[in-house]
Amino acid sequence: MSKWKTFIIEFMNIYSKTFVKTVDIEHHLKTLLKQEYDDDGGYFRFSSALKNMVEEEKIQPVKARGHNHQTPPVFNEYRLVKQEKRTNPTHIKKLMTSYPFFNMTAFYDEEEFEKWKFYINRVHAFLTNNSDTKKVMLKANERSFELFRNEKFLLDKEGIKFLANLGLTLSDLNCRRTYEPFVEYRPKPSRKPKTILIIENRDTFDSVKELMMDGVNTWSGITFDMVIYGEGDKIQRSYYFLEEYQLEDYEVYYFGDLDARGIHICSELIKIDNRVKPFTPFYIELLNCYGTEPSTRTLERKLKQTIIDDSLKLFSGFFECNYRDELKKYTKIVQNIQTYIPQEGLNLAILRETGERR
């Protein structure tokens, strides 16, 4: 198979959708080959390669998407043809003998095994040798570099799938993930926090932090001994850093913008840890103060409506019935226009007035 065809197959294999746009394939080749793309025939060779791959039944055109308007014409989208796995009883027997502790089903195809042979052998050698580093719990990126000279492999999609195919986890390689630390404030750092408040945006975090430093740490009867700056979506990745605190009995409250994305972030945290709940007194205060005059903005990045609806269902379940219909207003996006109330509506003065010292 020619180099061009190999590059096309590799790109289509990692493409995020089943139907691959022809313009994306061509752009990938141009990026990869640079001047060589034009020197080797450019678009004419590219179109010929696509037509040959169709004849060889490696790809299929998506005819409903139509042709492009170039000469010679090709279809606007293609999809890979699934190749039947070749199974050789002798090869399978050899796998079972050589790697008795692994699930090798995913590698019964000899071509697939050859693709992953280096990685399989590196893991096998690690697990069967009694090395000193094997006994030390390393970070996943450290172990990944030690085994494969690629520090990112174990935590990228291919690496995660590779381990799963073998029936292994990171713990089998005596390594663990690390999570990006978050910005937090605790009035008493020596004590493990029991009640935690996560704030989506920086200004509101700073206001709550300032009040806690001044002794104001209680709202609606709930006293907080830790406040975390969520940094918007980032909190979904860094939340696991809480494990570093080795907490046992604790509660987590979340307060963010009253809009589709803020509600979604909160609902995703609830899915990660069922201790998390929205801090309803702050949201209700936002509605009471600004519900009759919410702001609107134009969105460039928005969630799918099905995701928004699912998030609202989980989020609104923490509120009394008379607020649930009101919350829907902040998840409707019409022609990219979003109705919202930013959490900054609860400014330092309001937070001080509604807070108390405990």
Side-chain angles (χ1 to χ4, degrees):
M1 187 162 59
S2 74
K3 180 169 66 174
W4 281 44
K5 291 179 183 178
T6 300
F7 289 156
I8 290 171
I9 292 291
E10 288 176 350
F11 177 70
M12 293 180 74
N13 267 316
I14 62 172
Y15 197 78
S16 58
K17 297 179 181 178
T18 303
F19 298 159
V20 186
K21 293 181 179 180
T22 305
V23 292
D24 290 343
I25 300 173
E26 186 180 16
H27 176 73
H28 173 71
L29 284 178
K30 287 180 177 179
T31 303
L32 208 59
L33 298 169
K34 298 182 174 62
Q35 185 61 39
E36 187 182 342
Y37 178 83
D38 291 317
D39 293 345
D40 286 357
Y43 175 78
F44 183 80
R45 180 175 176 183
F46 172 61
S47 61
S48 297
L50 290 178
K51 289 177 181 178
N52 288 340
M53 292 172 74
V54 171
E55 292 170 1
E56 294 165 0
E57 298 185 346
K58 296 186 184 300
I59 61 174
Q60 283 184 344
V62 184
K63 294 182 178 180
R65 299 288 194 263
H67 291 87
N68 64 6
H69 298 292
Q70 299 188 55
T71 304
V74 294
F75 286 91
N76 285 316
E77 293 186 16
Y78 291 84
R79 71 176 182 84
L80 279 173
V81 176
K82 290 185 177 179
Q83 304 295 320
E84 287 189 16
K85 299 288 185 181
R86 302 194 308 275
T87 55
N88 179 338
T90 303
H91 169 67
I92 294 174
K93 184 177 180 181
K94 184 178 178 181
L95 292 183
M96 304 305 287
T97 304
S98 302
Y99 309 102
F101 304 113
F102 294 164
N103 177 3
M104 297 299 291
T105 308
F107 308 101
Y108 282 177
D109 175 69
E110 290 182 76
E111 188 175 322
E112 188 71 9
F113 171 73
E114 287 301 321
K115 176 182 174 182
W116 293 102
K117 184 177 179 180
F118 166 77
Y119 296 89
I120 295 169
N121 285 337
R122 292 295 293 165
V123 172
H124 184 262
F126 172 78
L127 293 177
T128 54
N129 292 341
N130 193 26
S131 64
D132 290 336
T133 58
K134 179 181 175 182
K135 302 170 186 177
V136 179
M137 171 68 76
L138 298 183
K139 312 301 186 295
N141 286 357
E142 294 172 340
R143 186 70 78 200
S144 188
F145 185 78
E146 176 193 13
L147 295 180
F148 314 112
R149 294 301 184 265
N150 177 353
E151 75 279 10
K152 304 294 184 184
F153 176 72
L154 281 176
L155 294 182
D156 68 21
K157 288 182 180 179
E158 275 200 315
I160 292 169
K161 184 178 179 181
F162 167 72
L163 276 190
N165 283 340
L166 289 177
L168 301 176
T169 64
L170 292 177
S171 62
D172 293 309
L173 300 182
N174 201 21
C175 63
R176 64 180 179 86
R177 290 175 177 268
T178 53
Y179 299 101
E180 192 171 350
F182 37 60
V183 177
E184 51 96 348
Y185 171 72
R186 287 180 285 163
K188 299 178 180 178
S190 61
R191 290 171 53 179
K192 288 187 177 182
K194 295 286 187 180
T195 311
I196 300 165
L197 177 62
I198 298 175
I199 302 290
E200 180 180 347
N201 299 329
R202 184 58 186 262
D203 285 346
T204 309
F205 166 79
D206 280 347
S207 292
V208 172
K209 174 186 172 184
E210 183 178 330
L211 291 171
M212 290 178 72
M213 291 174 71
D214 194 32
V216 178
N217 59 359
T218 303
W219 288 269
S220 298
I222 298 175
T223 300
F224 295 102
D225 43 25
M226 182 179 188
V227 59
I228 295 172
Y229 171 34
E231 296 187 66
D233 291 337
K234 182 193 167 189
I235 189 62
Q236 295 172 51
R237 303 185 300 276
S238 61
Y239 182 83
Y240 296 98
F241 188 72
L242 266 182
E243 294 174 5
E244 300 287 329
Y245 294 84
Q246 299 181 332
L247 306 180
E248 295 176 1
D249 182 24
Y250 63 96
E251 291 183 298
V252 183
Y253 293 89
Y254 183 84
F255 177 52
D257 293 337
L258 199 46
D259 63 7
R261 188 160 293 278
I263 288 171
H264 175 67
I265 293 170
C266 183
S267 69
E268 289 300 293
L269 289 180
I270 294 168
K271 293 174 186 177
I272 290 172
D273 184 348
N274 60 16
R275 294 180 181 87
V276 178
K277 54 183 75 70
F279 192 53
T280 55
F282 280 180
Y283 288 105
I284 291 170
E285 187 69 21
L286 277 183
L287 290 172
N288 290 341
C289 291
Y290 310 102
T292 57
E293 48 171 339
S295 302
T296 59
R297 62 183 165 201
T298 302
L299 293 178
E300 294 181 4
R301 182 174 64 118
K302 65 178 183 178
L303 299 163
K304 291 182 179 178
Q305 192 60 48
T306 52
I307 294 175
I308 294 172
D309 293 342
D310 178 65
S311 297
L312 176 63
K313 183 177 179 181
L314 183 56
F315 179 83
S316 63
F318 291 88
F319 292 79
E320 295 180 1
C321 293
N322 56 314
Y323 286 105
R324 293 178 188 175
D325 286 338
E326 177 72 8
L327 290 171
K328 291 179 183 177
K329 182 194 304 183
Y330 304 96
T331 58
K332 288 181 180 176
I333 301 171
V334 181
Q335 295 182 336
N336 280 20
I337 301 299
Q338 161 87 77
T339 298
Y340 78 109
I341 305 176
Q343 67 174 167
E344 286 87 349
L346 294 194
N347 57 44
L348 179 62
I350 295 174
L351 289 169
R352 186 181 295 279
E353 182 181 344
T354 55
E356 57 183 302
R357 302 170 189 272
R358 286 278 179 93

